[in-house]
Amino acid sequence: MSQDTPKISVTGLRKSFGSKTILDGIDFEVAQGESLVIIGGSGSGKSVTIKCVLGLIRPDEGTILIDGKDAVGLRGRERDALMKKFGMLFQGGALFDSLPVWENVAFGLIQGHGVSRSQAYAQAIENLAMVGLKEDVADLLPAELSGGMMKRVALARAIATKPEIIFFDEPTTGLDPIMGDVINDLIVHVREEMGVSTVSITHDMASVRKIADKVAMLYGRKLVWMGPVEEIDNSGNPYVDQFIHGRAEGPIQMDVRRP
Amino acid sequence: MNPLAPIGCTVLGFLAAAGRLVLFAAMAVMHCILPPWYPRLVLRQILEIGYFSLPVVGLTAVFTGMVLALQSYTGFSRFEAESAIAGIVVLSVTRELGPVLAGLMVAGRVGAAIAAELGTMRVTEQIDALTTLSTNPFKYLVAPRVIAATLTLPILVAIADIIGVLGGYIVSIGKLGFNPTVYLHSTFDILEPMDVISGLVKAAVFGFLIALMGCYHGYHSQRGAQGVGTATTYAVVSGSILILTFNYIVTEIFFSV
Ligand SMILES: Nc1ncnc2c1ncn2[C@@H]1O[C@H](COP(=O)(O)OP(=O)(O)O)[C@@H](O)[C@H]1O
Ligand SMILES: [Mg+2]
């Protein structure tokens, strides 16, 4: 693999659920160590996009290359090997509610990498420390955590297996602005520490400015704009302008009835 | 519009659903057989499915045995055939009522619980999270439940058989004035090993079906709380119907050999 093979390369990605088309020809690339942020309204298909890349949803059409190798429809061992390159922070955390915090964090190590439970415990504590949590949360159950702690545990779980590519699905949604900023800092910190490529989804502009190298905007089943984060304020794209300023008036029409 | 079209659509939809279910069952069986296995999770499910179902199954069995003795007395005393009651009770309980009633009770309790748990895991993306952590949800979630239910139901039914016969005994001795020794003697006289074995085989089949329907509907749960609720209902209804269907099929197989 040469240095300039992109970590992720997606071309012509299409996906429909029944008669409803969600994605209609999406193309993007993420280079080694790069951070792509996908912005877009709720329900525009951001989560579906990264779930296609992760192999959780099978695309109808299009190619997805990970490190230059085709990733669509892999099964068995090849899929397992590919999954080990990925870490994912789910929108709602998706912590296993029957397992204590430390076992959630250590899950990928124990199940996927065959690490012994005692060793995995030690590594889980290290990962918890990395996201600013102390050992005393290790034995709590997910139901006992606050929203911010839950996101941090989910972050610790996503990085525990030392993946090469990490996906963040709305890491700051539902948190207060300060906790949101803490999570953004952690994401930046983790990226610097591990040198990973990341794909993040958000509609929080503070988050975009903090963690993005490159921004893509999803609207109407397509990526309507993609460019470096520095250009986002003068993209010249009306969709992007409306989105970053959060205006109700503009080319993006919401399905709301006016009084 | 062609008046046959809706019928065709319904039939095709039904066939597609049946096909999906059979595929799911085949996957489940395959993952039960192939390693890696999760013995800890199987044990936990055995406790969950078996041990905690004991009170429900025990109560069902004792009252069934009791009412059987009472009802058959009403009928058989008209022909002065009261001596057949012991046999009626033990055969009905071991061959039919033990497995079927225990199966239906467990379908309500365990099938629903499995569907609700897996459905919640689906809706909150925990099943997706398993996949991203290199763990196959079929192996980690489905296989332990299917194995545990298939192993546990025969044990539950064996216990239900004993309690059911005991229920008949209590009513026959305490209320109908039978002689205890004679009653027990005629109970064991008429009972063949095959009567018990066929009941236990049924139980294993029912256990498999209950866990399968719980897992299937939970795994494919639609989004939202309503999706989980629907999955739970379907798991119980389809589990119960499959139990009654397979009860006939297994009986037919045992009857013809
Ligand atoms: N598994 C699924 N089955 C059917 N529809 C789905 C599924 N997943 C997502 N959708 C639909 O796809 C659209 C985009 O969803 P999503 O990608 O989750 O949006 P968001 O951009 O907010 O993350 C939504 O309308 C949603 O209802
Ligand atoms: Mg989403």
Side-chain angles (χ1 to χ4, degrees):
Chain A
M1 180 181 73
S2 78
Q3 198 54 44
D4 38 312
T5 314
K7 288 302 275 185
I8 303 174
S9 162
V10 173
T11 32
L13 179 64
R14 274 171 226 279
K15 178 71 200 173
S16 310
F17 290 108
S19 60
K20 198 164 95 187
T21 303
I22 308 294
L23 302 174
D24 191 10
I26 302 281
D27 311 275
F28 64 87
E29 278 187 1
V30 182
Q32 167 67 45
E34 191 178 33
S35 168
L36 170 71
V37 172
I38 302 175
I39 57 176
S42 307
S44 57
K46 305 180 299 293
S47 297
V48 171
T49 307
I50 61 171
K51 282 184 183 173
C52 285
V53 177
L54 274 163
L56 295 172
I57 294 179
R58 201 188 168 119
D60 298 336
E61 265 179 66
T63 51
I64 297 170
L65 306 180
I66 308 293
D67 288 326
K69 286 199 223 64
D70 197 352
V72 177
L74 287 188
R75 291 169 157 274
R77 247 177 227 140
E78 286 172 300
R79 161 77 36 212
D80 284 347
L82 185 62
M83 273 303 177
K84 291 196 174 130
K85 292 187 181 182
F86 295 144
M88 166 85 178
L89 172 66
F90 284 89
Q91 197 164 341
L95 297 176
F96 304 125
D97 22 49
S98 57
L99 299 179
V101 164
W102 81 265
E103 231 180 308
N104 262 287
V105 176
F107 195 91
L109 295 169
I110 296 174
Q111 305 298 345
H113 295 246
V115 178
S116 75
R117 287 175 73 82
S118 55
Q119 236 179 330
Y121 181 83
Q123 289 192 38
I125 300 300
E126 270 175 42
N127 283 300
L128 285 171
M130 196 129 142
V131 297
L133 291 172
K134 297 209 198 69
E135 190 168 352
D136 52 9
V137 300
D139 289 316
L140 297 180
L141 286 172
E144 300 170 284
L145 302 176
S146 69
M149 272 157 92
M150 203 127 71
K151 284 268 158 94
R152 283 197 269 175
V153 173
L155 182 57
R157 183 174 74 178
I159 62 175
T161 52
K162 308 232 175 330
E164 298 168 26
I165 305 169
I166 311 184
F167 299 86
F168 301 102
D169 194 349
E170 306 202 5
T172 58
T173 303
L175 302 179
D176 64 79
I178 299 172
M179 185 51 76
D181 200 49
V182 170
I183 299 285
N184 287 334
D185 281 338
L186 282 173
I187 291 174
V188 172
H189 173 71
V190 161
R191 276 190 57 216
E192 281 167 358
E193 198 94 329
M194 302 173 61
V196 292
S197 310
T198 61
V199 179
S200 318
I201 289 174
T202 189
H203 35 227
D204 167 8
M205 287 316 294
S207 199
V208 175
R209 291 178 205 283
K210 203 141 196 175
I211 64 182
D213 295 331
K214 189 162 84 176
V215 181
M217 167 135 185
L218 187 59
Y219 175 73
R221 309 179 205 132
K222 289 188 192 313
L223 290 181
V224 291
W225 185 79
M226 181 145 59
V229 65
E230 298 79 22
E231 289 175 16
I232 194 163
D233 287 308
N234 30 38
S235 62
N237 183 303
Y239 297 101
V240 176
D241 279 342
Q242 186 190 350
F243 190 86
I244 64 176
H245 296 114
R247 284 193 296 253
E249 280 79 38
I252 305 176
Q253 288 302 320
M254 293 285 167
D255 299 332
V256 282
R257 212 170 292 172
R258 309 224 171 254
Chain B
M1 203 177 87
N2 187 339
L4 292 178
I7 303 177
C9 280
T10 314
V11 171
L12 284 181
F14 175 77
L15 289 179
R20 272 199 300 276
L21 178 59
V22 169
L23 269 182
F24 189 92
M27 288 272 283
V29 170
M30 189 184 86
H31 286 289
C32 288
I33 295 168
L34 298 178
W37 299 291
Y38 296 95
R40 285 162 60 107
L41 297 179
V42 176
L43 283 178
R44 188 154 128 195
Q45 289 303 323
I46 287 180
L47 194 71
E48 199 79 22
I49 296 170
Y51 186 71
F52 294 120
S53 295
L54 272 177
V56 181
V57 169
L59 282 172
T60 312
V62 75
F63 285 113
T64 306
M66 285 166 73
V67 85
L68 260 180
L70 210 53
Q71 287 285 26
S72 31
Y73 182 80
T74 325
F76 281 52
S77 59
R78 293 179 196 168
F79 308 102
E80 306 194 349
E82 293 93 337
S83 58
I85 291 176
I88 295 286
V89 169
V90 71
L91 289 188
S92 316
V93 166
T94 54
R95 295 180 66 114
E96 278 301 322
L97 296 175
V100 171
L101 290 180
L104 291 176
M105 295 311 281
V106 175
R109 212 191 76 86
V110 173
I114 291 177
E117 189 179 2
L118 263 63
T120 308
M121 291 187 75
R122 161 65 69 203
V123 170
T124 57
E125 300 183 308
Q126 291 179 53
I127 293 185
D128 287 339
L130 275 178
T131 311
T132 64
L133 295 166
S134 309
T135 305
N136 187 324
F138 266 84
K139 284 211 189 315
Y140 190 82
L141 296 174
V142 177
R145 285 166 174 79
V146 170
I147 294 173
T150 311
L151 294 180
T152 315
L153 256 255
I155 300 173
L156 276 176
V157 166
I159 296 170
D161 286 352
I162 296 168
I163 296 178
V165 171
L166 192 72
Y169 175 86
I170 293 170
V171 169
S172 303
I173 308 307
K175 191 170 164 58
L176 308 176
F178 279 75
N179 175 315
T181 334
V182 176
Y183 186 90
L184 280 184
H185 196 76
S186 38
T187 296
F188 289 109
D189 230 22
I190 198 159
L191 190 65
E192 302 274 342
M194 218 43 189
D195 297 326
V196 179
I197 292 171
S198 70
L200 297 186
V201 170
K202 282 180 179 178
V205 173
F206 297 167
F208 175 80
L209 292 171
I210 292 167
L212 186 73
M213 294 324 287
C215 290
Y216 177 78
H217 289 289
Y219 194 86
H220 293 295
S221 169
Q222 300 296 309
R223 300 166 1 135
Q226 201 183 0
V228 179
T230 312
T232 310
T233 312
Y234 281 172
V236 177
V237 172
S238 60
S240 306
I241 289 174
L242 280 180
I243 284 176
L244 296 175
T245 313
F246 274 79
N247 181 45
Y248 180 78
I249 295 172
V250 177
T251 308
E252 171 91 43
I253 291 170
F254 270 95
F255 201 67
S256 54
V257 292

